[in-house]
């Protein structure tokens, strides 16, 4: 069966510090991978998606970047965090395109102080 | 741009009552619609997936309907239990993206 791992679960970082959130998927190959951010009381916002190694699409201009160094690994990064980067970050995967069912990780609560 | 709306934003019912959660979307050109459950501080758990060619999908006490032409979906939860308390999110897919509603937070009172 397929599983998705996301870590850390919580993170408190000072403004201006770097960020690295990691997501890995097991039990499948060549998944589509996604990073979402969830703000309180609002829907999930798609930040990045990837259909293959090294292939990253950005949905919104922002202070964050994403990389996919391996088939089942997706990393969300920032060189210098802003207060506005605080939020709940979720990684997701699906087979082929988003026409199939999507599965989410347990999320990372990021607080920038 | 796809806009997804969920009404009501919050719902409180006594145990045993049936739940009806609504989702509407503006662009009917979707591939599928998915209902998720989210517990506080946790990730999303997929409940039901309805392909665009389907009218409904059932899993246990859950039944979801889809009317693509009118841009609507409804999630029915029969005989609610306190363990059903959570936030329920609907999402529609198109072009590698899932567009989400803000969710309906459900409280089932024992």
């Amino acid at each position: 069966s397929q599983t998705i791992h996301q870590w850390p679960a919580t993170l408190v970082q000072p403004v201006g510090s770097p960020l690295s959130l990691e997501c890995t998927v097991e039990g499948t190959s060549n998944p589509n991978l996604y990073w979402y951010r969830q703000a309180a009381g609002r829907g999930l916002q798609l930040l990045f998606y990837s259909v293959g190694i090294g292939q990253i699409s950005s949905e919104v201009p922002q202070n964050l970047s994403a990389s996919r160094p391996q088939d089942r690994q997706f990393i969300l990064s920032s060189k210098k965090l802003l207060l506005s980067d605080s939020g709940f970050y979720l990684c997701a995967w699906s087979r082929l395109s988003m026409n199939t069912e999507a599965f989410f990780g347990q999320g990372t609560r990021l607080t920038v102080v | 741009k796809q806009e997804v709306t969920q009404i009501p934003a919050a719902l409180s019912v006594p145990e045993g009552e049936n739940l009806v959660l609504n989702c509407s979307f503006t662009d009917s050109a979707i591939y599928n619609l998915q209902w998720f459950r989210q517990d506080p501080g946790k990730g999303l758990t997929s409940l039901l997936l309805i392909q665009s060619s389907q009218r409904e999908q059932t899993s246990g006490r859950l039944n979801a309907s889809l009317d693509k032409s009118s841009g609507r979906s409804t999630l029915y939860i029969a005989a609610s239990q306190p363990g059903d308390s959570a936030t329920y999110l609907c999402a529609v897919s198109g072009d590698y993206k899932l567009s989400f509603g803000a969710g309906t937070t459900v409280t089932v009172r024992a």
Side-chain angles (χ1 to χ4, degrees):
Chain A
S1 64
Q2 302 83 18
T3 56
I4 179 169
H5 302 281
Q6 194 180 335
W7 68 93
T10 60
L11 192 59
V12 179
Q13 292 283 99
V15 169
S17 64
L19 173 73
S20 181
L21 302 182
E22 192 160 341
C23 172
T24 60
V25 180
E26 296 179 356
T28 189
S29 59
N30 197 30
N32 286 347
L33 296 171
Y34 307 83
W35 279 111
Y36 282 85
R37 177 167 57 200
Q38 186 176 32
R42 299 177 61 184
L44 275 71
Q45 179 186 36
L46 178 63
L47 302 176
F48 300 96
Y49 68 90
S50 172
V51 299
I53 296 174
Q55 299 179 62
I56 309 294
S57 296
S58 174
E59 284 295 299
V60 294
Q62 59 200 300
N63 185 43
L64 302 168
S65 62
S67 62
R68 184 170 178 174
Q70 299 180 40
D71 181 44
R72 290 170 290 175
Q73 184 184 30
F74 206 22
I75 298 172
L76 185 68
S77 304
S78 173
K79 293 181 179 178
K80 290 186 178 181
L81 283 168
L82 306 172
L83 287 174
S84 58
D85 291 324
S86 294
F88 193 51
Y89 290 83
L90 288 155
C91 180
W93 77 273
S94 71
R95 291 188 186 88
L96 299 176
S97 73
M98 268 295 194
N99 301 343
T100 56
E101 193 170 7
F103 300 92
F104 281 76
Q106 286 300 299
T108 295
R109 172 71 60 191
L110 172 65
T111 304
V112 183
V113 295
Chain B
K1 179 186 174 185
Q2 181 72 270
E3 301 285 344
V4 182
T5 304
Q6 290 188 248
I7 295 174
L11 188 60
S12 179
V13 299
E15 183 176 3
E17 192 164 300
N18 296 333
L19 288 164
V20 181
L21 308 179
N22 297 301
C23 173
S24 62
F25 46 95
T26 54
D27 186 352
S28 62
I30 65 170
Y31 293 115
N32 61 48
L33 183 144
Q34 228 174 313
W35 282 95
F36 293 89
R37 169 186 172 136
Q38 185 176 31
D39 293 298
K42 302 295 184 182
L44 277 64
T45 300
S46 179
L47 298 174
L48 289 168
L49 172 73
I50 311 176
Q51 297 292 351
S52 62
S53 58
Q54 295 178 310
R55 298 282 294 182
E56 68 176 336
Q57 193 68 255
T58 298
S59 176
R61 294 184 295 112
L62 276 61
N63 174 274
S65 65
L66 174 63
D67 185 342
K68 199 174 78 162
S69 61
S70 66
R72 294 178 183 176
S73 177
T74 302
L75 178 66
Y76 301 90
I77 303 177
S80 62
Q81 305 168 359
D84 294 328
S85 298
T87 296
Y88 292 82
L89 298 158
C90 74
V92 295
S93 77
D95 287 337
Y96 295 103
K97 304 173 192 177
L98 274 180
S99 298
F100 281 84
T104 296
T105 299
V106 171
T107 302
V108 180
R109 308 185 303 272

